[in-house]
Amino acid sequence: MQALLQTDAPTRRPRTDRLPGVPTLVLRASVGALVTAAAVVALRSVPSTRLVAGILVLAALVVLTPVARTLSRRLLLVGTALLGWVQVLWWLDLSALPIDRTSLLLAAWSAALTAWVLAGRRPRQRVAALVPTVRAVDAIPVVGAGVALAALSDRLLVRDPARALDTLLGGWDNAGHFAMFHMIRLRGTTVAEQVPPVDAASWGYADYPQGYHALAASVAELLAGAHDGGGPMLELLLFSRATAIIAIAGCLVVLAGVCSLEPLRRMAVALPVAAVVLTALSLGTGYELLRWGFPNFFLATTLAAALFFVTYRSQGPRDLPMLVAATGAVVGIVHGWFPLAAIAGPLALAAFGPLRRSTWHLSRARWTSVGVLAVCTLAAVYYSRTILGEVDTRTSIGLDGGFPAEDHGIVIAVVCVTLCLSVLRAATRRRGDALADPHAWATVLAVTAGTGAAVFLAVYQQTNFGKLTYYLWKFESGLLLACTLIGAALLGLLGARLLAPTGVAQRRTTLVASSVAALGLTQSMGMVVPNLDGTSIITSITSPRPEPLALPAQVDRLVATGDLIEATEAAARRPDAIVVYLAYPTDYRSIGRNTQQWLLGLTDRWTDVGQRTYSAMPDGVPGTPEEAAQFAGELLETSPRVVLAVRAESADQIVPILVAADPAYADRIEVIG
C-alpha cells in the first residue's frame, strides 16, 4: 500500500521564479523613464500646475533618492549636491531647448530614478530601498526649516514689488546681486558667457563668480518657469523669494547634517546642537549676513559648514554620493566666495576617507566615475579662478565696503573654543583611528587654516593700506559662523557619551534638560523674547557695532522705492537710454550710488557705460536747485544715452536751468511722480 501511494503521488518540482532577461529589463526601464519624464514635463508646462508640481516632484526626489539609509543623511547629501552643482546648468546657453533648465533637471532625475527601479530583477526590493529610515530626531531639520521660513517671511511671502524692493534696499549689495540674477534670467547664461551690447565693452560683474545667482535663477524657474518677458517687477519678486528659499535650504541642510551624525541621532543630544545651529543661521550672524545684502556669502559659509557633516566618517571613493555632495560644496564655495576655500579645503580632503590601501581598491566603473567627478570639480575651480583673474586682487583686498565689523573678542573666543574642541576630539581617538578616519584632524586643519587666513588678511591690509577694511570683516563673519556651527557639532559629539541614559525616567529628565538648554542657547544669539528689549546675552555684553553705511529709515526707503519703480517704468519707455534718477529735493539718504545701482539692475543697463553714471553719483545730496542742475548736467555729459528721471515737484526748479544751459537737454528728461 505504501509503495502504491508513493507511485501515485504527484511529483513536486522545486519552485523557481522566472526572472526577466536583460532585454526585458532595458525595455521596461526605458519605457518607464520616458513615461515619467513626459509626465513631469507635461505638469511643468501648464502654468496652473507648474509651481505645485515642481515643489512636490523636487521634495519627493530629494527624500526618495537612495543615497543614504536615514532621512537626515539624504537631505544633507542631496541638498548639498544641489546647492553646489545646479549652477553648472547656467554655464551653457540652453535657450534653444523647449523647456527650462529646472524642468529638464526634474524630468531627467525622475526618469533616472524610475529606470533604476525598473531595471532591477526584483523591483520591489528597489522600491523598498527608496523609503528612508526615519526617527523622531529627523523632524528637527523640517521644524528648523519652518523657523527659518518664519524669520524670512518678509522675503518669501511678499506679493508687492514695492515691499520687496523696500526690504532689499536695506542691504547695499542686494542691488548688484539682483542685477546679476536679472542678467542671467534675461539671457540664459552667467554674465561671463554673455556677449556685451554693441555700445559697451562689457557687462557689469563679468569678473564676478555667479554660482549663487545661477542657483537663484534655477529657483526662479522652479517657481515661475523660464523668463517670458514678465518685466523687472516680477523678477524682483522672484529674486526676493529665491534668496529666502536658498537660505531656508541652507538651514535645512546643516540641520540635517547635525541629525545625520550617528552619535547625535538622539533627541536629547541633537536638540541643543540644533538650537545653536538654527539660531546662528536664522537669528544670529547668518541673518545679519542676509540683512546686509550678502546672500551669496551666507550660502558659501553654510556649504563650508556642511562639508564637516558630509565628510564625517567618510568611506572615501567607495561612497560616491558623499563625493558628489562634497565636490558640490567645493564648487558652490569657490563660485560663491572664493576665500572661504581656506576653511573648506581641509574638510574636503577628509572625503578621501581612510588612509588605507584597501580604500582605493575600486572597480573600473567606480574609478571612471571618480575620475569624471574629479575632472569636473577641478574644471569648476579653474573656471572660478579664471573669472577672478580679471580682478586686481591686491587692490580689491583693501576696498572699503558696507559690512558691520564683528566683535573681535567674540570671534576669538568662538574660534578658540572650536579649535580646542577639534583638537580634543582628535587627541582622544585611539591609536590608528587617525588613519582610519582623518576627519578629526581635517577639522583641526580647517579651523587653523581659517584663522591663519584671517590673520594674513589683517596683516596685509594693515601693512599695505594702513587700516582694516571690508574683506577682513567679511571673512571674520564667515569664520565666526562656520566655527559656531562646527563647534556646536563637536560639543555634541563629545557630550554624546555623557548623555546616554538607560531608564525611562532618565531619558525623560535628559530630554527636558536638553529642551531647556536649547531654549537658553537660542536667546544667547539674539532670539527676541516677547515683552523684552530684544537684546541677547552676547549683544548685551559687547559694545555696539559700528554701522557700515548710513542707510535710511524704513519710511524713507518707501519713498525711494516708489521713485525707483517709476524711474524703471520711464526706462521702459526709452529702451535705448540709461536712466539716472535725480533725487531732489529729498530728506532721505538712500540715494546716489546705491539708487543708481538698483536702477541699472532693474533696467538691465549695468555695463561699463552704465557704470560711469554710477561712479559719477555724489555721496551727498544737492542742496539748492542750482547745485542739482549743475550735477544733472555733469551726469548728462557722461554719455549721450543718459536720461534724467526727475520728480515732478523739482522739475520746475531744475529743468529751466538745464535747458538754459543746453536746449538739447529738454529731450533727455523724464518727469516722474
Side-chain angles (χ1 to χ4, degrees):
M1 179 64 70
Q2 183 177 1
L4 181 60
L5 291 174
Q6 290 178 352
T7 301
D8 295 339
T11 303
R12 294 186 178 181
R13 298 179 180 178
R15 182 179 178 181
T16 59
D17 295 331
R18 293 185 178 181
L19 300 178
V22 173
T24 302
L25 295 177
V26 172
L27 178 61
R28 185 171 68 186
S30 301
V31 172
L34 290 175
V35 171
T36 303
V40 173
V41 171
L43 290 172
R44 289 282 298 167
S45 300
V46 179
S48 60
T49 61
R50 178 182 294 134
L51 175 60
V52 175
I55 293 176
L56 292 179
V57 171
L58 178 60
L61 290 173
V62 170
V63 172
L64 297 179
T65 301
V67 295
R69 181 174 55 86
T70 64
L71 176 61
S72 292
R73 184 71 176 173
R74 289 189 184 186
L75 294 176
L76 170 67
L77 296 181
V78 178
T80 304
L82 285 176
L83 292 175
W85 281 114
V86 163
Q87 61 172 296
V88 176
L89 296 174
W90 297 89
W91 294 353
L92 299 174
D93 186 3
L94 303 179
S95 57
L97 295 177
I99 58 174
D100 59 85
R101 290 170 173 81
T102 303
S103 298
L104 177 64
L105 174 63
L106 294 177
W109 190 355
S110 302
L113 195 58
T114 302
W116 177 79
V117 171
L118 297 179
R121 295 184 182 276
R122 292 183 173 88
R124 290 184 180 179
Q125 295 180 357
R126 295 197 172 187
V127 170
L130 297 179
V131 182
T133 302
V134 179
R135 293 186 190 174
V137 73
D138 293 314
I140 290 180
V142 180
V143 174
V147 174
L149 187 153
L152 297 171
S153 59
D154 57 336
R155 293 175 179 240
L156 179 62
L157 305 179
V158 63
R159 295 186 178 183
D160 181 15
R163 179 61 64 181
L165 181 57
D166 173 60
T167 301
L168 295 171
L169 274 171
W172 185 281
D173 281 24
N174 280 329
H177 293 306
F178 170 77
M180 286 181 271
F181 163 84
H182 195 199
M183 287 188 279
I184 291 173
R185 286 274 291 165
L186 286 174
R187 282 172 281 279
T189 60
T190 53
V191 179
E193 304 301 323
Q194 296 178 13
V195 178
V198 293
D199 58 344
S202 65
W203 289 105
Y205 290 106
D207 56 356
Y208 195 102
Q210 291 151 25
Y212 175 86
H213 313 89
L215 176 62
S218 296
V219 175
E221 282 193 344
L222 177 68
L223 299 177
H227 184 272
D228 58 357
M233 294 301 105
L234 174 60
E235 296 302 308
L236 190 63
L237 286 175
L238 292 175
F239 177 73
S240 176
R241 294 166 182 169
T243 57
I245 290 173
I246 293 173
I248 294 169
C251 294
L252 176 68
V253 165
V254 178
L255 288 172
V258 170
C259 299
S260 70
L261 305 184
E262 192 59 37
L264 303 185
R265 286 190 61 75
R266 286 182 288 130
M267 187 66 75
V269 182
L271 199 56
V273 178
V276 175
V277 169
L278 178 60
T279 309
L281 288 173
S282 61
L283 300 171
T285 305
Y287 180 79
E288 290 296 309
L289 294 177
L290 294 173
R291 188 169 71 91
W292 288 110
F294 306 105
N296 62 324
F297 186 66
F298 173 89
L299 177 63
T301 307
T302 300
L303 290 175
L307 264 175
F308 172 87
F309 303 102
V310 169
T311 58
Y312 178 78
R313 292 186 179 175
S314 166
Q315 298 301 313
R318 298 179 183 276
D319 190 355
L320 192 59
M322 181 276 302
L323 287 181
V324 173
T327 53
V330 171
V331 172
I333 291 167
V334 299
H335 282 269
W337 212 72
F338 203 104
L340 287 176
I343 302 174
L347 290 173
L349 293 177
F352 292 102
L355 302 179
R356 294 184 297 226
R357 186 176 301 176
S358 59
T359 304
W360 301 93
H361 288 170
L362 307 173
S363 64
R364 182 176 300 179
R366 182 54 58 91
W367 269 117
T368 302
S369 301
V370 172
V372 170
L373 188 60
V375 170
C376 292
T377 305
L378 293 175
V381 174
Y382 176 76
Y383 182 48
S384 175
R385 185 65 188 89
T386 301
I387 296 173
L388 290 170
E390 304 295 328
V391 179
D392 186 356
T393 307
R394 295 183 178 180
T395 303
S396 61
I397 287 179
L399 292 177
D400 291 322
F403 200 91
E406 297 287 351
D407 184 278
H408 300 299
I410 296 297
V411 175
I412 293 173
V414 172
V415 171
C416 288
V417 169
T418 304
L419 183 60
C420 290
L421 290 173
S422 60
V423 171
L424 180 62
R425 173 174 172 248
T428 54
R429 300 179 70 82
R430 292 175 298 179
R431 184 176 300 177
D433 283 354
L435 295 179
D437 183 13
H439 183 268
W441 286 110
T443 306
V444 175
L445 184 59
V447 179
T448 304
T451 306
V455 172
F456 169 79
L457 276 174
V459 173
Y460 186 90
Q461 289 181 349
Q462 192 66 43
T463 302
N464 292 275
F465 306 102
K467 60 181 180 179
L468 304 179
T469 60
Y470 170 79
Y471 276 101
L472 175 63
W473 309 140
K474 198 169 184 178
F475 187 87
E476 198 176 57
S477 292
L479 180 63
L480 173 63
L481 181 57
C483 285
T484 301
L485 304 180
I486 294 173
L490 289 172
L491 190 61
L493 290 173
L494 293 173
R497 301 176 182 177
L498 304 177
L499 298 175
T502 56
V504 175
Q506 288 180 316
R507 290 196 184 107
R508 291 176 179 174
T509 303
T510 304
L511 184 58
V512 171
S514 174
S515 302
V516 173
L519 182 60
L521 288 169
T522 58
Q523 172 60 20
S524 69
M525 291 192 183
M527 181 176 180
V528 178
V529 178
N531 300 323
L532 295 182
D533 59 0
T535 58
S536 65
I537 295 174
I538 289 180
T539 57
S540 63
I541 64 175
T542 58
S543 58
R545 295 186 297 181
E547 293 292 327
L549 292 170
L551 293 175
Q554 184 82 1
V555 63
D556 297 332
R557 287 209 307 272
L558 284 171
V559 179
T561 299
D563 292 346
L564 275 174
I565 292 176
E566 291 191 24
T568 303
E569 295 171 351
R573 297 191 292 267
R574 300 199 181 203
D576 296 328
I578 300 175
V579 176
V580 179
Y581 168 55
L582 180 64
Y584 175 84
T586 181
D587 57 356
Y588 59 92
R589 294 170 287 174
S590 182
I591 63 164
R593 295 183 177 181
N594 190 233
T595 304
Q596 187 58 23
Q597 282 183 330
W598 271 106
L599 201 49
L600 291 174
L602 289 167
T603 58
D604 189 35
R605 303 289 191 275
W606 205 315
T607 63
D608 56 334
V609 177
Q611 186 77 10
R612 288 200 290 269
T613 64
Y614 156 74
S615 301
M617 299 296 291
D619 293 326
V621 181
T624 64
E626 289 74 19
E627 292 178 356
Q630 180 182 357
F631 168 58
E634 294 174 358
L635 283 175
L636 290 169
E637 291 299 323
T638 59
S639 171
R641 295 176 56 198
V642 170
V643 172
L644 287 181
V646 186
R647 282 177 165 183
E649 59 266 29
S650 58
D652 295 338
Q653 305 177 54
I654 299 175
V655 173
I657 302 175
L658 282 173
V659 174
D662 187 345
Y665 288 160
D667 295 331
R668 299 171 61 187
I669 297 174
E670 284 281 345
V671 180
I672 61 176

